[in-house]
C-alpha cells in the first residue's frame, strides 16, 4: 500500500523529528509539536552525538512519595520555553556548538525489579561507548548508582562527585541487591566509584552520623556565606578530577520545587543553585543527571521548570567549555 504523506511543510515545527541536522534550531510553536528535551532531535541513532539526553523513569526506590517515574516527561515538556530563545545568561544556543540528541527513555521492567540496575548500566554503557556524554533525566535518585558504575568504567574510578541535594544519601546499606534512593553514595564510596576527598554535597539539610568523608556544604552555610562562596569551594574540592554532577531537585526549597518525593524546608533558591551550576565551566565534567521530579506534587509545573533550567545550564556548561577550546 502506498503511504499517503502530508505535503512538504515549511522548516518550522516538530523539529524533534523533522529538522535535518542534529545541530541548530528552527521555529516552533512553544505550546505544540513533538516533545523532546529542548526540541532536540528525537532518535536512537546516537552516532556523532556529543551529548545524549535520555530519561530513566524509575521510582521504585523511593522511601516516601512515588511519582518520579513521570519526571522525564515533565522535564521535557517544561523545556519547550528554553528552546525558544538563547539561554540566559549564556547568550548562545548550545545546539550550535554541541550535537545533542534525545534518545528517549531507558527501557525498564518494573515487574522484575532485580533487572533494573543492569538495564540502567547497559543503557549507559551503550551511550558512553559511542563517545558521547550523558545528560540523564530521572527518575528517583537511585538511578545515579548504576550510572556511576558505568561512568567509572568508562572514565576511571574513583570519580569526583558534585551532589546537589537535601539528603546526603550515604546511609548504611550493605545489601547488594537493594533499591534505595538514600544509600547509593554509601555504596559508591565503599565500592571506590567516587573519591570522598574530591567530592562535595551542596544544600544538605538532613542528618547522618557518618557522611563518609564527603565535603558537605549544607544549606545554612550556603545561605550564610553565599552561592559564590559555595561555588569556589566546589571548584577547589573537585580540582582537575573527572567529575560527575547529580542534581536532586529537592536541593531546592519546597517553595521553589514542591513537586518532589521527599521535600525538606530550608533549601536553596533556584537562583542560588543556578549560580553554582553555571560556574562549573572550569571543571572536567564527564556525566550529569537531574532527578527526583515528581509531577503529581507539583504546582504550575514550577518544579519541572526548575529541573529543565538546571539541565539546560549543564548543557550550556559543556558548550561553553567547547567554545573556549576553539
Amino acid at each position: 500500500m502506498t503511504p499517503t504523506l502530508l505535503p512538504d511543510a515549511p522548516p518550522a515545527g516538530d523539529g524533534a523529528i523533522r529538522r535535518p541536522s542534529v545541530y541548530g534550531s528552527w521555529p516552533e510553536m512553544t505550546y505544540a509539536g513533538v516533545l523532546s528535551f529542548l526540541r532536540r532531535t528525537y532518535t536512537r541513532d546516537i552516532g556523532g552525538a556529543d551529548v545524549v539526553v535520555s530519561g530513566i523513569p524509575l521510582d521504585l526506590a523511593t522511601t516516601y512519595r512515588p511519582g518520579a517515574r513521570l519526571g522525564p516527561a515533565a522535564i521535557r515538556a517544561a523545556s519547550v520555553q528554553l528552546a525558544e530563545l538563547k539561554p540566559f545568561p549564556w547568550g548562545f544556543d548550545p545546539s550550535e556548538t554541541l550535537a545533542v540528541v534525545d534518545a528517549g527513555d531507558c527501557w525498564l521492567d518494573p515487574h522484575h525489579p532485580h533487572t533494573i540496575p543492569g538495564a540502567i548500566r547497559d543503557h549507559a554503557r551503550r551511550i558512553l561507548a559511542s563517545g558521547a556524554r550523558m545528560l540523564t533525566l530521572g527518575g528517583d535518585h537511585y538511578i545515579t548508582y548504576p550510572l556511576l558504575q558505568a561512568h567509572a568504567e568508562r572514565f576511571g574510578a574513583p570519580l569526583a562527585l558534585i551532589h546537589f541535594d537535601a539528603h546526603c544519601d550515604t546511609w548504611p546499606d550493605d545489601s547488594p541487591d537493594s533499591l534505595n534512593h538514600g544509600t547509593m553514595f554509601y555504596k559508591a564510596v565503599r565500592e571506590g566509584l567516587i573519591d570522598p576527598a574530591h567530592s562535595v554535597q551542596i544544600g544538605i539539610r538532613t542528618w547522618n552520623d557518618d557522611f563518609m568523608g564527603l565535603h558537605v556544604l549544607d544549606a545554612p552555610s550556603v545561605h550564610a556565606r553565599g552561592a559564590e562562596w559555595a561555588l569556589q569551594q566546589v571548584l577547589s574540592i573537585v580540582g582537575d578530577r573527572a567529575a560527575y554532577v547529580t542534581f536532586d531537585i529537592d536541593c531546592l526549597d519546597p517553595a521553589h520545587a514542591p513537586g518532589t518525593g521527599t521535600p525538606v524546608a530550608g533549601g536553596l533558591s533556584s537562583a542560588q543553585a543556578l549560580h553554582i551550576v553555571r560556574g562549573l565551566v572550569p571543571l572536567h565534567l564527564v556525566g550529569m543527571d537531574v532527578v527526583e521530579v515528581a509531577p503529581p506534587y507539583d504546582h504550575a509545573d514550577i518544579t519541572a521548570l526548575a529541573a529543565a533550567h538546571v539541565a539546560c545550564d549543564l548543557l550550556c556548561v559543556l558548550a561553553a567549555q567547547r567554545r573556549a577550546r576553539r
Side-chain angles (χ1 to χ4, degrees):
M1 183 176 180
T2 303
T4 302
L5 301 177
L6 291 171
D8 288 340
D14 289 335
I17 58 173
R18 294 185 55 236
R19 194 173 47 246
S21 173
V22 295
Y23 289 98
S25 302
W26 69 19
E28 301 273 357
M29 293 183 289
T30 311
Y31 48 84
V34 175
L35 290 177
S36 63
F37 183 71
L38 293 179
R39 304 286 193 178
R40 303 322 307 149
T41 299
Y42 197 89
T43 180
R44 291 282 177 165
D45 181 0
I46 62 174
D50 296 310
V51 182
V52 174
V53 180
S54 65
I56 302 184
L58 175 72
D59 62 9
L60 297 182
T62 55
T63 52
Y64 185 33
R65 305 188 301 191
R69 68 180 63 187
L70 305 175
I75 297 170
R76 287 185 176 103
S79 75
V80 294
Q81 287 188 90
L82 302 176
E84 188 176 18
L85 301 170
K86 293 177 182 177
F88 179 87
W90 303 94
F92 60 76
D93 180 349
S95 72
E96 298 288 350
T97 302
L98 298 172
V100 183
V101 302
D102 187 330
D105 291 341
C106 174
W107 172 258
L108 305 174
D109 184 351
H111 305 294
H112 295 88
H114 62 282
T115 66
I116 288 174
I120 297 172
R121 277 193 302 272
D122 290 344
H123 171 78
R125 285 167 176 158
R126 287 190 292 269
I127 293 173
L128 294 174
S130 75
R133 295 288 195 266
M134 294 185 71
L135 171 58
T136 307
L137 311 177
D140 70 49
H141 212 162
Y142 174 81
I143 70 168
T144 304
Y145 176 48
L147 290 174
L148 277 174
Q149 291 174 322
H151 281 77
E153 289 175 5
R154 174 70 175 81
F155 297 102
L159 300 171
L161 181 71
I162 304 170
H163 173 205
F164 294 81
D165 207 324
H167 310 87
C168 61
D169 296 339
T170 50
W171 287 285
D173 179 3
D174 293 311
S175 171
D177 300 320
S178 67
L179 296 179
N180 188 323
H181 73 161
T183 65
M184 312 83 59
F185 303 130
Y186 173 87
K187 293 181 177 181
V189 171
R190 293 289 294 267
E191 294 175 21
L193 302 176
I194 60 175
D195 180 358
H198 290 278
S199 297
V200 57
Q201 300 180 307
I202 306 125
I204 303 300
R205 52 197 187 276
T206 48
W207 188 255
N208 189 349
D209 289 334
D210 183 2
F211 289 96
M212 301 195 73
L214 281 78
H215 298 267
V216 176
L217 309 180
D218 60 38
S221 296
V222 178
H223 294 319
R225 301 185 183 188
E228 180 61 23
W229 167 82
L231 170 60
Q232 294 305 317
Q233 293 295 306
V234 172
L235 299 180
S236 175
I237 291 164
V238 175
D240 61 358
R241 302 293 291 267
Y244 187 95
V245 181
T246 181
F247 195 109
D248 185 326
I249 205 65
D250 72 24
C251 175
L252 303 183
D253 189 83
H256 298 269
T260 191
T262 49
V264 182
L268 273 59
S269 69
S270 299
Q272 288 172 313
L274 291 174
H275 179 87
I276 300 169
V277 168
R278 290 166 180 165
L280 299 180
V281 175
L283 299 181
H284 177 34
L285 305 183
V286 298
M288 53 202 70
D289 64 52
V290 182
V291 298
E292 294 286 358
V293 173
Y297 316 109
D298 208 358
H299 301 279
D301 301 327
I302 61 174
T303 309
L305 183 61
H309 272 277
V310 169
C312 179
D313 275 347
L314 287 169
L315 275 183
C316 288
V317 167
L318 296 183
Q321 293 173 338
R322 175 72 61 87
R323 290 162 64 93
R325 294 194 294 267
R326 287 182 172 178

